[in-house]
Amino acid sequence: MFPNLKAEMVRHSITCKDIGELLNVSTTWVENRLQGKSVLPVDAGIKIRNAFFKNSSYEYLFSSEPIDISA
């Protein structure tokens, strides 16, 4: 789930721990949402985007399909 977000996390060296600290939740909470085991609330997604990925659109980051932005 969220392949673009995961790719951007790697590119920017952002960890699930970093996101958990931002949202004040556990690393497991973040991992479960990134794996699609639980729903990621929209407000959490907005916080993640605004804190770590300001140059990426919400739609790109949280798409369920990979999007090639280099084309």
XYZ file of all heavy atoms in Angstrom:
563
model
N 0.841 -1.178 0.000
C 0.000 0.000 0.000
C 0.889 1.245 0.000
O 1.952 1.233 0.579
C -0.883 -0.038 1.245
C -1.986 0.928 1.281
S -3.525 0.048 1.071
C -4.513 1.328 0.453
N 0.467 2.293 -0.663
C 1.180 3.569 -0.741
C 2.618 3.425 -1.262
O 3.574 3.870 -0.620
C 1.196 4.283 0.610
C -0.138 4.431 1.265
C -0.346 4.001 2.559
C -1.204 5.011 0.587
C -1.577 4.142 3.171
C -2.435 5.163 1.193
C -2.630 4.716 2.489
N 2.792 2.820 -2.425
C 4.158 2.625 -2.939
C 4.914 3.938 -3.169
O 6.142 3.984 -2.990
C 3.948 1.867 -4.245
C 2.542 2.196 -4.654
C 1.778 2.353 -3.360
N 4.213 4.991 -3.535
C 4.888 6.268 -3.767
C 5.379 6.874 -2.451
O 6.483 7.418 -2.384
C 3.959 7.243 -4.491
C 3.499 6.692 -5.817
O 4.262 6.065 -6.536
N 2.237 6.898 -6.137
N 4.565 6.780 -1.423
C 4.977 7.279 -0.111
C 6.204 6.516 0.363
O 7.176 7.109 0.835
C 3.838 7.144 0.904
C 4.200 7.490 2.347
C 4.658 8.937 2.465
C 3.027 7.206 3.274
N 6.180 5.197 0.229
C 7.321 4.387 0.663
C 8.580 4.761 -0.116
O 9.668 4.854 0.465
C 6.997 2.906 0.507
C 5.940 2.427 1.483
C 5.601 0.972 1.226
C 4.468 0.493 2.109
N 4.102 -0.897 1.800
N 8.449 4.991 -1.420
C 9.600 5.381 -2.229
C 10.145 6.731 -1.779
O 11.371 6.913 -1.671
C 9.214 5.431 -3.704
N 9.255 7.670 -1.504
C 9.694 8.996 -1.044
C 10.323 8.912 0.347
O 11.277 9.645 0.642
C 8.524 9.977 -1.044
C 8.004 10.320 -2.430
C 9.038 10.939 -3.346
O 9.902 11.712 -2.870
O 8.983 10.652 -4.563
N 9.817 8.038 1.181
C 10.416 7.849 2.505
C 11.865 7.406 2.354
O 12.751 7.912 3.050
C 9.614 6.835 3.324
C 8.284 7.355 3.815
S 7.255 6.072 4.582
C 8.232 5.677 6.054
N 12.121 6.479 1.447
C 13.487 6.010 1.209
C 14.340 7.151 0.656
O 15.458 7.388 1.132
C 13.499 4.799 0.256
C 14.912 4.443 -0.174
C 12.816 3.598 0.908
N 13.824 7.870 -0.336
C 14.578 8.971 -0.953
C 14.975 10.050 0.053
O 16.034 10.663 -0.052
C 13.758 9.626 -2.063
C 13.737 8.852 -3.334
C 13.029 9.634 -4.453
N 12.687 8.719 -5.514
C 11.465 8.282 -5.797
N 10.427 8.729 -5.126
N 11.275 7.427 -6.770
N 14.096 10.288 1.020
C 14.321 11.364 1.986
C 14.765 10.863 3.357
O 14.837 11.647 4.311
C 13.047 12.199 2.140
C 12.650 12.895 0.877
N 13.250 14.057 0.453
C 11.726 12.588 -0.072
C 12.710 14.446 -0.681
N 11.788 13.565 -1.025
N 15.042 9.570 3.460
C 15.478 8.951 4.721
C 14.505 9.211 5.868
O 14.909 9.513 6.993
C 16.886 9.431 5.101
O 17.809 9.099 4.088
N 13.220 9.096 5.569
C 12.172 9.239 6.579
C 11.762 7.840 7.013
O 11.481 6.977 6.177
C 10.942 9.983 6.002
C 11.338 11.358 5.462
C 9.829 10.090 7.039
C 11.880 12.317 6.477
N 11.728 7.600 8.304
C 11.381 6.286 8.828
C 9.968 6.282 9.405
O 9.368 7.337 9.641
C 12.360 5.872 9.941
O 12.193 6.775 11.053
C 13.805 5.891 9.457
N 9.475 5.082 9.651
C 8.173 4.957 10.333
C 8.257 5.576 11.724
O 7.269 6.130 12.210
C 7.761 3.487 10.409
S 7.253 2.796 8.822
N 9.418 5.500 12.340
C 9.601 6.126 13.648
C 9.432 7.643 13.541
O 8.780 8.260 14.384
C 10.975 5.786 14.214
C 11.225 6.378 15.574
C 12.583 6.015 16.114
C 12.775 6.676 17.470
N 14.124 6.490 17.987
N 10.005 8.240 12.488
C 9.858 9.689 12.283
C 8.384 10.070 12.143
O 7.929 11.051 12.734
C 10.595 10.136 11.019
C 12.099 9.941 11.092
O 12.668 10.053 12.193
O 12.697 9.667 10.029
N 7.664 9.300 11.356
C 6.237 9.575 11.150
C 5.463 9.360 12.442
O 4.588 10.157 12.792
C 5.686 8.723 9.998
C 6.323 9.185 8.677
C 4.161 8.807 9.937
C 5.996 8.327 7.487
N 5.795 8.304 13.171
C 5.145 8.052 14.456
C 5.349 9.187 15.439
O 4.417 9.587 16.147
N 6.561 9.722 15.468
C 6.841 10.845 16.372
C 6.042 12.077 15.966
O 5.517 12.788 16.818
C 8.338 11.143 16.392
C 9.128 10.072 17.130
C 10.633 10.262 17.052
O 11.108 11.195 16.360
O 11.334 9.455 17.680
N 5.939 12.310 14.659
C 5.142 13.439 14.173
C 3.683 13.309 14.608
O 3.066 14.272 15.057
C 5.217 13.511 12.646
C 4.258 14.493 11.975
C 4.700 15.923 12.213
C 4.138 14.193 10.496
N 3.136 12.099 14.458
C 1.713 11.869 14.742
C 1.437 11.489 16.195
O 0.276 11.329 16.577
C 1.184 10.766 13.818
C 1.309 11.031 12.317
C 0.842 9.809 11.536
C 0.518 12.266 11.905
N 2.508 11.310 16.957
C 2.383 10.887 18.357
C 1.702 9.521 18.473
O 0.785 9.327 19.278
C 1.665 11.946 19.193
C 1.924 11.771 20.679
O 2.987 11.286 21.075
N 0.960 12.160 21.493
N 2.162 8.594 17.619
C 1.668 7.217 17.624
C 2.870 6.284 17.563
O 4.000 6.704 17.324
C 0.714 6.936 16.435
C -0.542 7.801 16.516
C 1.422 7.141 15.104
N 2.630 4.997 17.750
C 3.717 4.026 17.733
C 4.176 3.724 16.307
O 3.437 3.933 15.334
C 3.274 2.724 18.406
O 2.326 2.053 17.591
N 5.378 3.210 16.211
C 5.908 2.773 14.923
C 5.025 1.676 14.338
O 4.774 1.649 13.128
C 7.358 2.277 15.091
O 8.148 3.343 15.629
C 7.956 1.826 13.777
N 4.530 0.789 15.177
C 3.646 -0.288 14.725
C 2.373 0.283 14.114
O 1.887 -0.220 13.100
C 3.304 -1.232 15.899
O 4.529 -1.764 16.420
C 2.405 -2.365 15.453
N 1.817 1.334 14.703
C 0.624 1.990 14.160
C 0.895 2.452 12.742
O 0.100 2.228 11.839
C 0.243 3.172 15.057
C -1.043 3.850 14.723
C -2.259 3.607 15.305
C -1.267 4.901 13.767
N -3.216 4.432 14.765
C -2.637 5.238 13.804
C -0.448 5.577 12.878
C -3.188 6.215 12.993
C -1.005 6.555 12.065
C -2.365 6.867 12.130
N 2.045 3.100 12.534
C 2.407 3.590 11.206
C 2.602 2.420 10.250
O 2.073 2.420 9.131
C 3.687 4.454 11.267
C 4.127 4.871 9.875
C 3.482 5.668 12.167
N 3.354 1.422 10.654
C 3.627 0.261 9.801
C 2.334 -0.425 9.368
O 2.192 -0.810 8.201
C 4.534 -0.729 10.526
C 5.942 -0.199 10.701
C 6.788 -1.024 11.660
O 6.239 -1.906 12.363
O 8.002 -0.790 11.712
N 1.397 -0.582 10.282
C 0.119 -1.227 9.952
C -0.642 -0.450 8.886
O -1.255 -1.037 7.998
C -0.750 -1.396 11.200
C -0.272 -2.514 12.088
O 0.453 -3.407 11.667
N -0.674 -2.471 13.349
N -0.596 0.847 8.931
C -1.294 1.657 7.926
C -0.568 1.625 6.586
O -1.196 1.546 5.547
C -1.475 3.080 8.420
C -2.763 3.205 9.237
C -2.510 3.556 10.688
N -3.738 3.392 11.455
C -3.860 2.493 12.423
N -2.874 1.665 12.701
N -4.967 2.399 13.113
N 0.753 1.640 6.605
C 1.510 1.583 5.357
C 1.378 0.223 4.678
O 1.501 0.121 3.460
C 2.985 1.917 5.602
C 3.288 3.334 6.072
C 4.795 3.552 6.164
C 2.649 4.373 5.178
N 1.114 -0.816 5.460
C 0.923 -2.154 4.908
C -0.528 -2.416 4.517
O -0.844 -3.465 3.972
C 1.374 -3.209 5.923
C 2.862 -3.184 6.185
C 3.265 -4.057 7.351
O 2.462 -4.805 7.900
N 4.522 -3.959 7.755
N -1.416 -1.481 4.816
C -2.816 -1.638 4.463
C -3.610 -2.483 5.441
O -4.737 -2.874 5.161
N -3.048 -2.750 6.608
C -3.755 -3.537 7.624
C -4.828 -2.714 8.334
O -5.758 -3.267 8.895
C -2.767 -4.087 8.650
C -1.810 -5.107 8.066
C -0.854 -5.611 9.116
C 0.118 -6.612 8.527
N 1.086 -7.073 9.540
N -4.650 -1.395 8.322
C -5.600 -0.462 8.920
C -5.669 0.766 8.027
O -4.771 1.016 7.225
C -5.145 -0.039 10.321
O -5.049 -1.156 11.184
N -6.719 1.538 8.197
C -6.919 2.738 7.379
C -6.100 3.895 7.943
O -6.092 4.131 9.154
C -8.419 3.111 7.351
C -8.637 4.409 6.603
C -9.226 1.987 6.727
N -5.441 4.611 7.045
C -4.719 5.814 7.435
C -5.682 6.984 7.365
O -6.213 7.288 6.285
C -3.531 6.066 6.492
C -2.713 7.312 6.787
C -1.900 7.118 8.069
C -1.793 7.636 5.626
N -5.942 7.654 8.482
C -6.845 8.807 8.453
C -6.303 9.919 7.542
O -5.086 10.142 7.471
C -6.878 9.281 9.908
C -6.427 8.097 10.713
C -5.467 7.359 9.834
N -7.187 10.601 6.864
C -6.799 11.667 5.942
C -6.008 12.741 6.675
O -4.997 13.231 6.153
C -8.036 12.271 5.241
C -7.657 13.500 4.434
C -8.698 11.236 4.352
N -6.422 13.103 7.872
C -5.702 14.159 8.601
C -4.268 13.736 8.906
O -3.356 14.564 8.870
C -6.442 14.589 9.856
C -6.589 13.503 10.906
O -6.676 12.315 10.545
O -6.629 13.843 12.100
N -4.030 12.453 9.145
C -2.668 11.967 9.366
C -1.864 12.070 8.072
O -0.696 12.475 8.080
C -2.691 10.534 9.872
N -2.480 11.721 6.956
C -1.816 11.835 5.665
C -1.430 13.264 5.350
O -0.332 13.531 4.835
N -2.311 14.184 5.661
C -2.031 15.604 5.419
C -0.851 16.067 6.278
O 0.033 16.773 5.803
C -3.288 16.456 5.672
C -4.336 16.159 4.589
C -2.949 17.947 5.711
C -5.702 16.734 4.864
N -0.820 15.640 7.533
C 0.296 16.004 8.412
C 1.613 15.449 7.882
O 2.640 16.133 7.894
C 0.055 15.482 9.834
C -0.913 16.284 10.638
C -0.998 15.738 12.051
C -1.971 16.530 12.888
N -2.062 15.994 14.254
N 1.589 14.204 7.424
C 2.798 13.569 6.882
C 3.286 14.351 5.668
O 4.460 14.687 5.558
C 2.520 12.099 6.520
C 2.253 11.279 7.780
C 3.684 11.505 5.708
C 1.652 9.903 7.525
N 2.377 14.634 4.760
C 2.736 15.377 3.540
C 3.299 16.748 3.875
O 4.346 17.145 3.369
C 1.519 15.509 2.636
C 1.843 16.145 1.303
C 0.955 17.359 1.139
N 1.401 18.109 -0.031
C 1.775 19.369 0.024
N 1.766 20.023 1.153
N 2.145 20.005 -1.046
N 2.626 17.478 4.746
C 3.049 18.834 5.078
C 4.378 18.876 5.832
O 5.149 19.812 5.672
C 1.971 19.549 5.884
C 0.750 19.879 5.051
O 0.774 19.833 3.827
N -0.347 20.178 5.724
N 4.651 17.862 6.630
C 5.881 17.850 7.427
C 7.098 17.365 6.637
O 8.196 17.905 6.792
C 5.693 16.974 8.662
N 6.902 16.365 5.787
C 8.048 15.715 5.164
C 8.133 15.833 3.644
O 9.216 15.704 3.077
C 8.056 14.223 5.518
C 8.167 13.928 6.979
C 7.133 13.291 7.650
C 9.295 14.288 7.701
C 7.228 12.994 9.001
C 9.403 14.004 9.055
C 8.370 13.364 9.712
N 7.019 16.026 2.978
C 7.000 15.933 1.520
C 6.235 17.092 0.881
O 5.344 16.906 0.063
C 6.370 14.598 1.090
C 6.977 13.400 1.776
C 6.281 12.717 2.770
C 8.253 12.974 1.446
C 6.840 11.619 3.403
C 8.819 11.877 2.073
C 8.124 11.202 3.062
N 6.602 18.306 1.215
C 5.880 19.494 0.751
C 5.859 19.637 -0.764
O 4.966 20.256 -1.315
C 6.476 20.747 1.377
C 6.210 20.855 2.851
C 6.787 22.114 3.435
C 6.507 22.129 4.922
N 7.029 23.314 5.565
N 6.834 19.060 -1.449
C 6.907 19.175 -2.901
C 6.139 18.084 -3.632
O 6.163 18.040 -4.862
C 8.366 19.183 -3.365
C 9.094 20.425 -2.897
O 8.507 21.485 -2.783
N 10.366 20.287 -2.612
N 5.473 17.203 -2.895
C 4.692 16.115 -3.498
C 3.213 16.325 -3.208
O 2.847 16.797 -2.127
C 5.125 14.765 -2.923
O 6.469 14.492 -3.241
N 2.387 15.957 -4.161
C 0.947 16.095 -3.941
C 0.438 14.964 -3.045
O 1.013 13.866 -3.007
C 0.189 16.069 -5.259
O 0.193 14.767 -5.820
N -0.635 15.236 -2.357
C -1.284 14.220 -1.524
C -1.693 13.037 -2.405
O -1.508 11.886 -2.029
C -2.504 14.838 -0.822
C -3.192 13.883 0.117
C -2.818 13.813 1.450
C -4.200 13.036 -0.331
C -3.435 12.926 2.316
C -4.817 12.144 0.532
C -4.433 12.099 1.851
O -5.038 11.207 2.701
N -2.244 13.333 -3.584
C -2.725 12.283 -4.488
C -1.592 11.355 -4.900
O -1.772 10.150 -4.980
C -3.380 12.894 -5.728
C -4.658 13.635 -5.448
C -4.466 15.038 -4.851
O -3.314 15.572 -4.846
O -5.454 15.601 -4.370
N -0.425 11.930 -5.182
C 0.744 11.127 -5.542
C 1.173 10.254 -4.372
O 1.342 9.042 -4.507
C 1.899 12.032 -5.989
C 3.235 11.337 -5.998
C 3.545 10.400 -6.976
C 4.193 11.617 -5.019
C 4.770 9.744 -6.972
C 5.412 10.971 -5.022
C 5.706 10.040 -5.988
O 6.908 9.386 -5.984
N 1.362 10.853 -3.210
C 1.881 10.118 -2.056
C 0.986 8.969 -1.630
O 1.467 7.889 -1.281
C 2.076 11.064 -0.866
C 3.224 12.051 -0.957
C 3.155 13.026 0.199
C 4.561 11.338 -0.994
N -0.313 9.187 -1.658
C -1.226 8.207 -1.085
C -2.003 7.415 -2.126
O -3.014 6.794 -1.819
C -2.134 8.893 -0.061
C -1.322 9.437 1.086
C -0.984 10.772 1.146
C -0.821 8.590 2.062
C -0.191 11.278 2.165
C -0.029 9.073 3.090
C 0.286 10.416 3.145
N -1.494 7.394 -3.349
C -2.070 6.555 -4.392
C -1.776 5.092 -4.061
O -0.718 4.768 -3.506
C -1.449 6.899 -5.750
O -1.873 5.976 -6.721
N -2.695 4.219 -4.398
C -2.465 2.787 -4.153
C -1.646 2.149 -5.273
O -1.198 1.017 -5.149
C -3.792 2.049 -3.980
O -4.575 2.196 -5.141
N -1.448 2.896 -6.360
C -0.662 2.419 -7.500
C 0.595 3.287 -7.660
O 0.525 4.500 -7.458
C -1.484 2.494 -8.793
C -2.720 1.626 -8.784
C -2.404 0.148 -8.732
O -1.430 -0.277 -9.383
O -3.128 -0.581 -8.040
N 1.707 2.693 -8.054
C 2.906 3.503 -8.290
C 2.672 4.488 -9.433
O 2.043 4.164 -10.433
C 3.964 2.487 -8.701
C 3.412 1.153 -8.387
C 1.931 1.285 -8.301
N 3.159 5.698 -9.271
C 3.059 6.730 -10.289
C 4.480 7.159 -10.639
O 5.244 7.542 -9.756
C 2.242 7.948 -9.793
C 0.814 7.541 -9.466
C 2.270 9.062 -10.823
C 0.005 8.635 -8.797
N 4.816 7.093 -11.921
C 6.142 7.502 -12.376
C 6.124 9.001 -12.619
O 5.506 9.474 -13.570
C 6.522 6.763 -13.637
C 7.912 7.086 -14.137
O 8.641 7.833 -13.443
O 8.285 6.595 -15.208
N 6.792 9.746 -11.756
C 6.808 11.206 -11.889
C 7.974 11.682 -12.750
O 8.086 12.859 -13.031
C 6.829 11.915 -10.522
C 8.059 11.511 -9.708
C 5.558 11.650 -9.767
C 8.263 12.297 -8.444
N 8.833 10.765 -13.192
C 9.971 11.174 -14.002
C 9.628 11.280 -15.478
O 10.405 11.816 -16.249
C 11.123 10.175 -13.823
O 10.756 8.900 -14.333
N 8.466 10.776 -15.860
C 8.091 10.783 -17.281
C 7.626 12.144 -17.733
O 7.230 12.992 -17.041
C 6.980 9.767 -17.521
